[in-house]
Amino acid sequence: MTLSQLLQSLTGAERDFIASLNYGMDAEQHRSALDAVIATNGLIDFRSQGYWYPYEVIELGKNWLQDGHEREYAACLGIVLRNIECGADISNDLDWIVETQADSISKLPDELKLMVTDLSTAIINK
């Protein structure tokens, strides 16, 4: 599974879960911005979208794997990795993410784990 495939397959409930990760604050704004990010296969234009919506909840999502929400976690992590790869996200570091999230990544289903590995490898090989 690719990041684009995962993002396009997210259900409304999964998108709502991500959009509500900041204790439900501004969930509608986050959801609208998240839908726009999904439409661009995970790429964020920080100049037009800003950093807050939806990246705040995406950042929260990539830092915490919750039981039963592996797809949402992988989607958030994948979006961050995609934006590191294209140079849009200059605040995150691949090595730090891999180090701090290794345990959570290891718990993902194989197809999601492979997606994260492929994105990480693309950044390393760039």
Side-chain angles (χ1 to χ4, degrees), residues 39-99:
T40 62
N41 294 315
L43 294 175
I44 295 179
D45 181 354
F46 289 102
R47 285 179 292 185
S48 67
Q49 286 182 291
Y51 199 85
W52 195 258
Y53 299 104
Y55 220 58
E56 176 204 19
V57 293
I58 291 168
E59 288 272 7
L60 291 169
K62 81 147 173 58
N63 289 326
W64 183 24
L65 172 59
Q66 298 180 50
D67 288 337
H69 295 283
E70 291 79 7
R71 287 171 41 88
E72 295 94 323
Y73 169 80
C76 291
L77 181 56
I79 290 170
V80 170
L81 293 175
R82 167 74 45 87
N83 283 279
I84 292 172
E85 177 187 12
C86 75
D89 182 336
I90 57 172
S91 65
N92 279 295
D93 176 73
L94 175 64
D95 293 334
W96 182 83
I97 291 171
V98 170
E99 179 182 326

Side-chain angles (χ1 to χ4, degrees), residues 26-46:
D26 302 322
E28 288 180 25
Q29 288 174 287
H30 283 298
R31 172 61 193 267
S32 176
L34 178 62
D35 288 343
V37 169
I38 289 170
T40 62
N41 294 315
L43 294 175
I44 295 179
D45 181 354
F46 289 102

